[in-house]
Amino acid sequence: MGEKNSSELESSKPDSDPSPPRPPPPAPVPDSTEMAISIPPRDPETDANPNESDSSPSWFTPKRLLVIFCIINMLNYVDRGAIASNGVNGSRKSCTASGTCTSGSGIQGDFNLNNFEDGVLSSAFMVGLLIASPIFASLAKIHNPFRLIGVGLLVWTIATAGCGCSFDFWSITICRMLVGVGEASFISLAAPFIDDNAPPAQKTAWLAVFYMCIPTGIAVGYVYGGLVGEHLHWRAAFWGESILMLPFAILGFIIKPLQLKGFGTSSLTAATDNVEVVDDSNEEKQTIPIENEEISEKQTSKKFFLSGYAKRFSTQASRFGKDLKALLSEKVYVVNVLGYIAYNFVIGAYSYWGPKAGYDIYHMSNADLMFGGITIVCGIFGTLAGGLVLDKMESTISNAFKLLSVATFLGAIFCFSAFCFKSLYGFIPFFSIGELLVFATQGPVNYICLHSVKPSLRPLSMAMSTVSIHIFGDVPSSPLVGLLQDSINNWRETALILTSILFIAAIIWFIGIFFHSVDRFNEESEHDVPVVERSNLRPLLGGNQEAP
């Protein structure tokens, strides 16, 4: 008989003599003096309703999204037109040499503001807008962008109501700053949402419709502010704006939130991975002594809370710096914004000094109405035409630069020629054609801002574009043109010098044609989301989902 191997001997042992079971290894005992706490990141929008269906509400279609955003955008610019209108802005009280005094009207009259203080109200709005725009764009990394729009609109609603309740110069100045803060979230995030949901063949046209609301809103604001200020009170104009915006602010919180392309749940999680209070390494681990009776539980919680927010702030500041560096490294984007700055320098000065120059050069008795009417008509048709033409040409960054350079160059020729005419009848048709061509840039220039950068950088690209064109464009142009006019005392020459800057914008955009440009709309964000996960995200509304 052969010997049994060891495995057979083991298997032949009777069941009556089982080996005693080994006890499970003891669980590792944590250090009695230290305890580490770590909070995993979570997405509040998805974790709140994990079983919620991803299907969008049937009534919330892409076209309705465009209509809602257009109404909001128009209300934003109605506010800008209203505060500049005579009915709301009013005039300061004045006295003649004989001692006869006239009471002031509007904001200037009630608060007895001089022209400098009155101008500060416009600057205060811009300060809030410029500071808050990049902040909201950065917050889109860790918070749902659609909800951020709701927050901004709520701030806007409260701030405009506060303008109507203001009691002195400083109170209305602070409220105007908050109006700018509220508008910042919408300006930074609305265009990317429209770009996501527009049909592929009509993206520029949809953006053009959205930006058409700018001249339309300002013009409506002039009329609205004049009527309300004359028949009711200037305060009622702000209260009316607040009431009109309130439903849209509420809508931003109750509608199922959309997700921007490049900002999926995985991206938000990855953006917050570094915000844990405790690092896994022993060197960086925060510990809370549990045997030290001198540190109470309340003090420990407070220290834990403050430490977490300090790290979160540090992480967000670092991320913003990296995103800004990545944005500025995009040469196509930088060239586009440089041309936009030169363009906005002229348009901003036109809107402020145009009526005064027209009255002085051509002795227009109704210069406000004349320039306002030309701006409204040319703004609407020019903006729509620019978007439609680019879509017909095929929406590419190179074609957008071609359209920008050609339209701006031809527009500059017509506007320059208009101011050379001594007759009003020669000025009006040439200037109208020039403005029609100049306004055709609105769709293409914003198309490049959105498509020349990664999807995750689009809110920041819109925010920094807005900040740049205001800081270096229309904000300094009005005082500089006024300084030039004081120096040469000839509005015709001043207008010709100003208009020549449009040629600079056309040259900058022409250079952009020769840059290597890649449409990065479909490029994944820096926190790449797997295909399986991306198929479950909701970046677009129903009807526009891309085929997997």
Side-chain angles (χ1 to χ4, degrees):
M1 292 179 63
E3 294 182 357
K4 295 181 179 180
N5 56 33
S6 57
S7 59
E8 291 175 336
L9 290 174
E10 291 290 336
S11 61
S12 62
K13 289 184 179 179
D15 296 339
S16 60
D17 186 23
S19 60
R22 295 182 179 180
V29 180
D31 191 344
S32 61
T33 60
E34 292 185 350
M35 178 178 66
I37 301 176
S38 176
I39 298 178
R42 61 189 296 268
D43 183 1
E45 297 294 346
T46 56
D47 290 356
N49 299 295
N51 297 323
E52 187 177 11
S53 173
D54 284 338
S55 60
S56 302
S58 58
W59 66 270
F60 195 35
T61 62
K63 289 185 179 179
R64 288 193 174 100
L65 174 72
L66 177 64
V67 170
I68 290 172
F69 278 7
C70 283
I71 295 174
I72 294 172
N73 200 31
M74 185 172 294
L75 285 175
N76 282 328
Y77 283 90
V78 163
D79 173 73
R80 299 193 194 185
I83 197 171
S85 66
N86 289 324
V88 173
N89 197 276
S91 60
R92 193 180 185 187
K93 64 180 180 180
S94 59
C95 296
T96 62
S98 60
T100 304
C101 296
T102 57
S103 60
S105 62
I107 297 173
Q108 255 196 309
D110 282 7
F111 299 150
N112 193 28
L113 306 180
N114 57 35
N115 289 329
F116 173 76
E117 291 172 328
D118 190 29
V120 167
L121 297 182
S122 176
S123 299
F125 168 85
M126 296 306 303
V127 168
L129 178 69
L130 299 180
I131 292 176
S133 291
I135 293 176
F136 275 109
S138 181
L139 288 175
K141 291 281 187 178
I142 57 173
H143 297 285
N144 185 277
F146 198 80
R147 290 291 186 249
L148 289 177
I149 290 179
V151 171
L153 295 182
L154 182 61
V155 173
W156 192 96
T157 303
I158 296 172
T160 49
C163 290
C165 300
S166 55
F167 50 87
D168 62 6
F169 167 71
W170 288 109
S171 62
I172 193 171
T173 298
I174 293 173
C175 288
R176 293 308 298 172
M177 289 182 66
L178 292 175
V179 171
V181 171
E183 185 177 329
S185 70
F186 182 76
I187 287 180
S188 304
L189 302 169
F193 272 116
I194 293 174
D195 193 54
D196 276 357
N197 291 280
Q202 300 175 0
K203 286 183 178 292
T204 317
W206 280 42
L207 288 173
V209 170
F210 177 71
Y211 285 103
M212 178 194 70
C213 298
I214 294 177
T216 306
I218 292 176
V220 171
Y222 288 146
V223 178
Y224 167 77
L227 292 175
V228 175
E230 180 181 353
H231 295 287
L232 297 175
H233 196 272
W234 65 266
R235 297 181 185 273
F238 291 114
W239 293 335
E241 293 171 10
S242 181
I243 292 172
L244 290 173
M245 185 66 82
L246 182 60
F248 298 101
I250 296 174
L251 207 63
F253 289 99
I254 64 175
I255 286 183
K256 187 177 181 179
L258 303 178
Q259 189 63 61
L260 276 178
K261 187 178 183 68
F263 286 82
T265 304
S266 298
S267 296
L268 296 180
T269 302
T272 55
D273 280 343
N274 297 325
V275 188
E276 292 190 10
V277 177
V278 182
D279 191 271
D280 289 334
S281 62
N282 293 329
E283 291 83 6
E284 296 181 5
K285 183 181 294 183
Q286 276 194 327
T287 58
I288 302 176
I290 59 176
E291 292 186 351
N292 190 345
E293 297 179 357
E294 296 180 0
I295 301 179
S296 65
E297 182 179 353
K298 184 176 181 180
Q299 291 173 323
T300 300
S301 301
K302 183 178 180 180
K303 181 179 179 181
F304 176 81
F305 179 81
L306 294 176
S307 176
Y309 270 84
K311 287 193 174 184
R312 176 168 297 186
F313 175 80
S314 176
T315 300
Q316 289 308 306
S318 174
R319 180 168 294 278
F320 175 77
K322 292 179 180 179
D323 288 344
L324 185 59
K325 183 178 179 181
L327 187 66
L328 295 178
S329 67
E330 299 289 349
K331 295 180 180 179
V332 172
Y333 172 81
V334 173
V335 170
N336 183 53
V337 173
L338 288 176
Y340 203 8
I341 290 171
Y343 164 90
N344 214 56
F345 187 95
V346 178
I347 298 302
Y350 271 176
S351 63
Y352 191 80
W353 293 114
K356 186 179 291 294
Y359 178 81
D360 183 84
I361 299 172
Y362 299 105
H363 308 290
M364 298 181 189
S365 58
N366 56 348
D368 291 341
L369 181 61
M370 180 68 67
F371 273 85
I374 292 175
T375 301
I376 293 172
V377 175
C378 296
I380 293 174
F381 287 100
T383 305
L384 288 176
L388 292 172
V389 169
L390 182 58
D391 283 334
K392 293 295 182 181
M393 292 173 61
E394 184 182 0
S395 298
T396 64
I397 294 176
S398 179
N399 284 342
F401 273 126
K402 292 175 184 177
L403 181 58
L404 286 173
S405 58
V406 172
T408 306
F409 185 78
L410 294 177
I413 291 177
F414 275 95
C415 289
F416 192 90
S417 301
F419 284 108
C420 293
F421 280 96
K422 294 183 178 181
S423 169
L424 179 63
Y425 298 105
F427 169 81
I428 290 178
F430 269 73
F431 190 74
S432 299
I433 295 174
E435 284 221 317
L436 191 71
L437 290 165
V438 167
F439 276 113
T441 61
Q442 289 297 310
V445 73
N446 288 285
Y447 177 88
I448 296 175
C449 282
L450 291 169
H451 286 251
S452 62
V453 300
K454 294 180 181 179
S456 60
L457 290 178
R458 288 184 304 162
L460 185 61
S461 74
M462 297 305 297
M464 295 310 299
S465 171
T466 302
V467 169
S468 300
I469 64 174
H470 289 310
I471 289 181
F472 303 108
D474 55 2
V475 169
S477 67
S478 295
L480 288 176
V481 169
L483 187 64
L484 178 63
Q485 170 61 18
D486 289 339
S487 175
I488 63 178
N489 196 27
N490 187 315
W491 271 114
R492 189 186 301 273
E493 292 183 13
T494 300
L496 291 173
I497 294 173
L498 173 66
T499 304
S500 63
I501 298 177
L502 282 176
F503 291 105
I504 298 176
I507 293 172
I508 294 174
W509 280 328
F510 180 74
I511 293 173
I513 298 174
F514 302 98
F515 278 82
H516 176 68
S517 58
V518 178
D519 193 325
R520 309 183 69 176
F521 176 75
N522 291 317
E523 186 174 316
E524 293 183 357
S525 64
E526 66 268 33
H527 304 297
D528 294 334
V529 184
V531 176
V532 176
E533 294 186 23
R534 279 191 281 114
S535 65
N536 294 326
L537 298 180
R538 291 173 283 121
L540 306 178
L541 286 173
N544 277 337
Q545 298 284 4
E546 297 177 359

